[in-house]
Amino acid sequence: MEALTSQLEHTYINPASDLPGLGDAYERILEVVQFPILYHKEFEKLNIEAPKGMLLYGPPGVGKTRLVSTIAKQTGAALTLIQGPEIIGPYLGESEERLRTKFYEAQNKAQSNPNKASVLFIDEIDSIAPKRQPGAQGSNDSSRLVAQLLTLMDGLESRGRLVVIGATNMPNVLDPALRRPGRFDREIRIDVPNQIARREILAYYTRKMVLGAALDLDMLAEVTNGYVGADIAALCREAAMHAITARIEAAENKGNDKAGGVSEQAVVTRHDFEAAMAQLVPSTKRGLGIDVAKTTWTDIGGLDSVKLKLQQAVEWPLTRAAAMKRLGVRAPRGVLLFGPPGCSKTTLVKVIATQVRSTFFSINGAALYSPYVGDAERTLRETFQRARATSPAVIFFDEIEAMVGKRALGGAANADSVQERILSTLLNEMDGVESSDGVLVVGATNRIDMIDAALLRPGRFDHVVYVPPPDYHARKDILLINGRKMPLGSDVDIDKLASQTEGFSGADMANITREAALLALRHNIDANRVDMCHFEAALSSVQPSLKRDLMEYYNRMQSEYT
């Protein structure tokens, strides 16, 4: 590859300047396009043919189309473009005729200039060459088009210096006959860019911007996990627009109505990128994105041991990866939180969603279930595929027992139930044949005894963490946290309130604080503080939710499952 690059340096620009984060794919495509021309004598001596076809696949926005167009421009190759559905015609045989015309056009370009390659680029190839189904009705048109494409790519007539490149984001939809040597000899997967690639892409799109001194591109690359190249380009554009808008508003406030020169002086700061990130949803998260209220570890009272276990499971694989690798420790695949209702299980996951530098996906029963057979399993598979593509990632299942349930021993009455099919899919995705490294599954439940034992084994839910009800110190912390934005009277005794709330969950403690504030407003709508009498009145109206029989049940579950 170095020899090829040295021969091209005097003719073509540096690929890294135009294709940030796509260096490996660039080199592999360049071999196919240029090797048969630069080293044609070597190919003749060895009596071999260079690869004539290549399939690019990956998520939308990673740069497949840009990669091909840039290589064609840099190498001077004649580019013939087929944009998927444009060749579809309304009359019988018209689509095949248009496809043949495009192939002959590309072949004529190759024959007219033997020193340059000819590239036929089929964008969105899945739209014209879908998988043929034996005996399927109504698919004759697509079957004929697929057959014509196969004949043109691997017919009796040689394609010469013609290279066919296809691009798709759904490779499994393509007909298998296309994906064999002689047609698409090579397949290149272009994944969502990692942190290093994101740093290169950010540097490329901000190279002409005036950046603020406090803006660190390394930090920005770290927090943009899950962003593809198109997302980062849009992010930089939105940040620049935000900076220009801020400069214009500042000029208008000073009485300067002349907008000329404002854009030249605009400095893009970290604040501009944060504002852009708040508006832009990465394409890999669209359809599964959720709006999570910003929560920190200090927003949860008590639960120090639970917080430590979650930090070790979620944060250590990112912050202490070298130490874990040195000792040969594998990151956990899953963490299951169980405990009484209202004891901050979901709030702990909110902290993970907002504090950890991972892509976060949330799945609940309403989003998963569908009236169509197989839809729920497909949604689950696609979520894991997105999570693997944007790893490190966290997938959260709230009320997981309602989605997967527990299989009956020795019974086959519900063998075709939706719950069992979802459970089977989840078992395979968490610890099946396909690797799920970099994906952490977090589940929350109140009924751990209703979860299938296969999910609770090591390798799936490695850590089963009991979230206990708040003790005295935790209840005191919860009261302080809920009352920190509330003007409290001097007579409010937090220690006394914590001792009087035995059996109250974290949600009950928050309810007491809220009820005390409402009682203060009921007594006097102009009240400016909440006194001890209001808390005592709230205690008389709010009942504890953690009854004795309920706690006996959870004590048994704790001894059995932890």
Side-chain angles (χ1 to χ4, degrees):
M1 193 63 210
E2 293 180 359
L4 173 61
T5 305
S6 64
Q7 295 188 43
L8 296 174
E9 279 179 351
H10 68 281
T11 306
Y12 310 120
I13 61 176
N14 181 14
S17 64
D18 269 354
L19 296 170
L22 296 172
D24 293 339
Y26 170 85
E27 293 180 358
R28 295 185 64 183
I29 297 178
L30 200 60
E31 289 178 2
V32 176
V33 175
Q34 287 296 94
F35 268 30
I37 297 174
L38 295 178
Y39 305 115
H40 62 278
K41 293 183 179 179
E42 285 77 1
F43 278 84
E44 291 175 359
K45 289 179 181 179
L46 297 175
N47 194 25
I48 59 173
E49 284 191 358
K52 296 295 181 65
M54 182 175 295
L55 179 66
L56 307 180
Y57 67 95
V62 293
K64 301 183 292 294
T65 305
R66 179 188 179 92
L67 182 63
V68 176
S69 61
T70 303
I71 285 182
K73 178 182 177 181
Q74 291 180 359
T75 60
L79 180 63
T80 305
L81 178 62
I82 298 177
Q83 292 181 333
E86 72 175 2
I87 66 169
I88 304 298
Y91 303 110
L92 187 66
E94 185 176 357
S95 302
E96 296 91 308
E97 176 62 28
R98 291 181 180 181
L99 186 61
R100 287 194 299 270
T101 302
K102 286 288 186 179
F103 262 85
Y104 295 153
E105 177 187 342
Q107 283 181 330
N108 291 335
K109 290 179 181 179
Q111 293 171 0
S112 62
N113 192 352
N115 295 324
K116 298 290 184 181
S118 177
V119 176
L120 176 62
F121 179 47
I122 309 176
D123 203 4
E124 304 296 341
I125 190 173
D126 53 275
S127 63
I128 64 172
K131 188 180 297 183
R132 294 172 292 182
Q133 300 294 336
Q137 298 296 324
S139 60
N140 291 334
D141 293 340
S142 62
S143 296
R144 289 197 304 270
L145 192 57
V146 173
Q148 179 66 82
L149 181 59
L150 296 175
T151 303
L152 291 170
M153 291 188 67
D154 192 29
L156 296 176
E157 190 174 330
S158 173
R159 281 184 276 156
R161 298 193 185 279
L162 174 60
V163 178
V164 180
I165 300 178
T168 179
N169 51 44
M170 296 185 293
N172 294 329
V173 176
L174 287 179
D175 193 87
L178 277 172
R179 305 177 67 179
R180 72 155 178 82
R183 286 162 185 161
F184 285 128
D185 301 86
R186 292 187 179 182
E187 294 188 0
I188 299 178
R189 176 176 177 175
I190 304 178
D191 286 323
V192 176
N194 56 22
Q195 184 174 338
I196 298 174
R198 292 197 299 272
R199 175 65 172 80
E200 295 177 3
I201 299 171
L202 283 166
Y204 173 78
Y205 284 109
T206 58
R207 67 192 186 281
K208 294 184 180 180
M209 294 182 186
V210 181
L211 302 180
L215 179 60
D216 185 3
L217 291 183
D218 292 320
M219 180 277 299
L220 199 57
E222 187 177 351
V223 299
T224 50
N225 186 41
Y227 283 66
V228 297
D231 295 330
I232 296 177
L235 179 68
C236 296
R237 182 180 63 248
E238 291 297 327
M241 290 292 293
H242 187 272
I244 293 173
T245 304
R247 290 288 179 179
I248 294 174
E249 292 177 352
E252 290 176 350
N253 293 334
K254 291 180 180 180
N256 180 12
D257 56 355
K258 296 181 179 180
V262 172
S263 61
E264 297 177 1
Q265 301 172 2
V267 178
V268 183
T269 64
R270 177 177 176 177
H271 173 69
D272 297 320
F273 273 98
E274 289 175 349
M277 291 180 67
Q279 297 179 355
L280 182 66
V281 179
S283 56
T284 56
K285 301 180 185 179
R286 290 177 185 173
L288 293 170
I290 57 172
D291 187 13
V292 181
K294 188 173 180 59
T295 314
T296 64
W297 295 110
T298 57
D299 292 329
I300 301 175
L303 302 179
D304 294 333
S305 62
V306 177
K307 292 177 186 177
L308 179 60
K309 290 179 180 178
L310 284 178
Q311 288 172 347
Q312 291 174 351
V314 180
E315 293 183 358
W316 279 20
L318 297 174
T319 59
R320 306 184 184 184
M324 296 181 68
K325 185 177 180 180
R326 185 174 64 249
L327 297 182
V329 179
R330 177 183 60 82
R333 295 281 177 84
V335 178
L336 180 64
L337 306 176
F338 80 99
C343 291
S344 304
K345 296 185 295 296
T346 306
T347 308
L348 286 166
V349 179
K350 287 182 182 179
V351 178
I352 295 174
T354 57
Q355 297 297 309
V356 179
R357 302 184 305 273
S358 299
T359 311
F360 187 82
F361 300 92
S362 179
I363 297 180
N364 54 44
L368 190 60
Y369 282 100
S370 168
Y372 303 104
V373 176
D375 248 16
E377 298 92 298
R378 183 179 64 182
T379 301
L380 195 58
R381 287 195 303 270
E382 289 177 351
T383 303
F384 272 88
Q385 287 173 1
R386 289 191 182 188
R388 280 190 284 265
T390 59
S391 61
V394 177
I395 303 176
F396 173 52
F397 292 88
D398 201 4
E399 304 294 342
I400 189 173
E401 81 283 352
M403 286 179 265
V404 293
K406 190 173 186 177
R407 292 173 293 189
L409 295 176
N414 296 324
D416 194 37
S417 69
V418 180
Q419 277 194 339
E420 294 207 0
R421 293 199 302 271
I422 293 176
L423 174 61
S424 176
T425 305
L426 182 58
L427 294 175
N428 282 287
E429 293 292 345
M430 289 186 68
D431 190 26
V433 175
E434 189 171 1
S435 173
S436 292
D437 292 337
V439 178
L440 176 70
V441 179
V442 179
T445 180
N446 300 324
R447 296 292 307 273
I448 191 173
D449 56 324
M450 294 179 63
I451 295 179
D452 196 84
L455 267 179
L456 299 177
R457 72 160 177 81
R460 288 180 178 131
F461 282 124
D462 299 272
H463 301 299
V464 178
V465 181
Y466 176 61
V467 183
D471 56 13
Y472 169 80
H473 296 288
R475 294 195 299 273
K476 182 178 176 181
D477 290 343
I478 294 171
L479 287 170
L480 292 172
I481 290 170
N482 285 281
R484 62 190 174 191
K485 294 183 179 181
M486 183 183 298
L488 300 178
S490 57
D491 61 336
V492 175
D493 189 349
I494 297 295
D495 294 326
K496 182 179 179 182
L497 290 173
S499 62
Q500 291 178 345
T501 50
E502 181 72 29
F504 283 73
S505 67
D508 295 334
M509 302 298 294
N511 192 25
I512 289 174
T513 309
R514 182 171 55 251
E515 186 66 23
L518 290 174
L519 286 171
L521 291 176
R522 288 172 192 160
H523 292 162
N524 182 10
I525 195 63
D526 297 322
N528 54 12
R529 69 175 187 270
V530 182
D531 296 321
M532 187 65 179
C533 61
H534 301 133
F535 278 97
E536 291 175 346
L539 277 173
S540 64
S541 61
V542 177
Q543 298 297 320
S545 59
L546 305 180
K547 306 297 183 182
R548 178 176 297 180
D549 55 346
L550 182 66
M551 292 313 302
E552 289 177 355
Y553 163 78
Y554 281 106
N555 289 334
R556 292 198 309 271
M557 294 300 102
Q558 181 185 8
S559 61
E560 181 177 351
Y561 288 98
T562 57

